[in-house]
Amino acid sequence: MNNNLNRIIGSLFISCLFMMGCGTDDTQTVATFNNLVAEDNFDVDGEIDTSFWNFDIGDGSEQGIPGWGNNELQFYTDRSENVTVENGFLLITAQEEDFNGAQYTSARLQTKGKIQQRYGRFEARIRLPFGQGMWPAFWLLGDDSDGSVSPQIGEIDIMENTGDAPTEIFGTVHGPGYSGENSISKKYTLVNSRVDTGFHIYGIEWGPDYINYYVDNVLYYQVTPEDVDEETDGEGEWVFNDRQFYIILNLAVGGNLPGSPNEETVFPQTMVVDYVRVYTNGIN
């Protein structure tokens, strides 16, 4: 991929002098994952590649309560109005419409059982939507095929954004003792740019004892087992070694994090994905 040499080749550590919000005496572990093992460049117009992606369909109802656990307002579909490939891009579009009891529709894609691994680099080049109530995300979820449930399976949110904050994204981890509102997270602020007017590369590099967060190949955040221990007063558990994780791309409407759309929110809104790539260095 572009700028591989900029990802710190030949070094195991880099001073946090170059990192956002770190002390100059700290160090962060850096790995170079350069073995491309999976990618979707969305080169074929029309339907998504079902050898790579699955659809999550519905309103996420649990015990009769919709919202995917987050009080979201959309119904996810597999319709072309909500998800399609066009001119080399994946388009995930939120519509304002009455559909199966919901006021909005959108799409959520995931790679469970198809593209999943433990450790490596996961990245995507994306242009995000804009407007109050928009909640686009690119994230990883631990495989629950063994019957484990959240937060034990772990969650790595590579990129989340609220549509009313077009210069900010969040990188977050969830696990036992640090899930939901108590998750461990850091904000990254773009300078002289916006997430909705240009494409940006969002990625993580994940090893046995760290998860590094990148925007446009800039390392801005690292989470380690020691950070989890410190943030949870010893009550948290590092669950990022014992299972494979799969990719999720979705555009939610409303919910706990962004709040509902308002009268200024324009529909439709589209999350435009140029590519998704997965790398390894052979340790997974």
Side-chain angles (χ1 to χ4, degrees):
M1 63 167 294
N2 293 335
N3 298 322
N4 267 344
L5 293 178
N6 292 334
R7 283 211 295 263
I8 313 147
I9 297 175
S11 174
L12 294 177
F13 297 93
I14 183 169
S15 167
C16 272
L17 177 63
F18 300 104
M19 302 303 113
M20 216 177 148
C22 297
T24 56
D25 293 332
D26 295 331
T27 58
Q28 292 184 331
T29 302
V30 174
T32 299
F33 296 90
N34 51 21
N35 179 27
L36 180 65
V37 293
E39 66 179 328
D40 193 344
N41 293 307
F42 307 109
D43 291 331
V44 179
D45 284 2
E47 298 180 354
I48 63 169
D49 181 356
T50 54
S51 69
F52 199 104
W53 300 102
N54 307 303
F55 289 104
D56 282 333
I57 297 177
D59 63 4
S61 290
E62 292 186 7
Q63 300 178 344
I65 302 174
W68 297 92
N70 304 303
N71 294 311
E72 299 166 26
L73 303 176
Q74 78 290 326
F75 192 102
Y76 287 132
T77 85
D78 60 357
R79 305 178 308 159
S80 60
E81 293 93 331
N82 298 116
V83 57
T84 191
V85 177
E86 185 176 303
N87 297 322
F89 299 103
L90 170 68
L91 308 179
I92 298 178
T93 301
Q95 306 270 5
E96 184 176 21
E97 58 179 330
D98 292 330
F99 190 90
N100 284 4
Q103 188 179 352
Y104 305 95
T105 59
S106 189
R108 170 166 151 158
L109 309 183
Q110 43 91 350
T111 65
K112 183 178 177 180
K114 295 178 178 178
I115 307 297
Q116 57 182 54
Q117 69 180 39
R118 183 179 59 168
Y119 312 141
R121 179 176 175 92
F122 298 77
E123 69 174 29
R125 185 172 182 262
I126 310 174
R127 189 179 72 211
L128 302 180
F130 173 74
Q132 169 63 38
M134 296 297 100
W135 189 2
F138 168 43
W139 49 299
L140 308 180
L141 193 62
D143 185 359
D144 61 358
S145 297
D146 63 356
S148 298
V149 297
S150 183
Q152 190 64 40
I153 55 177
E155 177 181 325
I156 304 171
D157 298 330
I158 302 172
M159 178 282 302
E160 291 181 280
N161 167 260
T162 61
D164 60 340
T167 63
E168 298 176 353
I169 63 98
F170 299 87
T172 308
V173 291
H174 302 255
Y178 52 103
S179 61
E181 294 181 356
N182 298 314
S183 59
I184 299 173
S185 183
K186 185 169 184 177
K187 178 175 69 176
Y188 180 86
T189 302
L190 295 168
V191 178
N192 299 322
S193 184
R194 291 169 54 123
V195 299
D196 61 320
T197 58
F199 285 89
H200 296 278
I201 300 171
Y202 305 101
I204 61 156
E205 289 188 343
W206 165 31
D209 56 0
Y210 65 92
I211 301 169
N212 289 342
Y213 283 80
Y214 295 82
V215 174
D216 296 327
N217 295 325
V218 173
L219 172 60
Y220 75 94
Y221 185 35
Q222 179 174 84
V223 183
T224 68
E226 291 74 18
D227 295 321
V228 168
D229 190 60
E230 180 178 348
E231 292 285 340
T232 63
D233 294 325
E235 298 298 320
E237 181 183 352
W238 183 261
V239 289
F240 304 103
N241 290 340
D242 60 349
R243 66 187 66 237
Q244 295 184 333
F245 279 56
Y246 59 89
I247 302 166
I248 303 176
L249 283 170
N250 69 285
L251 174 54
V253 180
N256 297 339
L257 183 60
S260 298
N262 60 24
E263 63 277 4
E264 297 179 355
T265 307
V266 177
F267 286 92
Q269 288 288 331
T270 301
M271 178 179 181
V272 184
V273 185
D274 184 18
Y275 65 74
V276 175
R277 294 173 183 166
V278 182
Y279 297 80
T280 184
N281 65 359
I283 66 171
N284 57 313

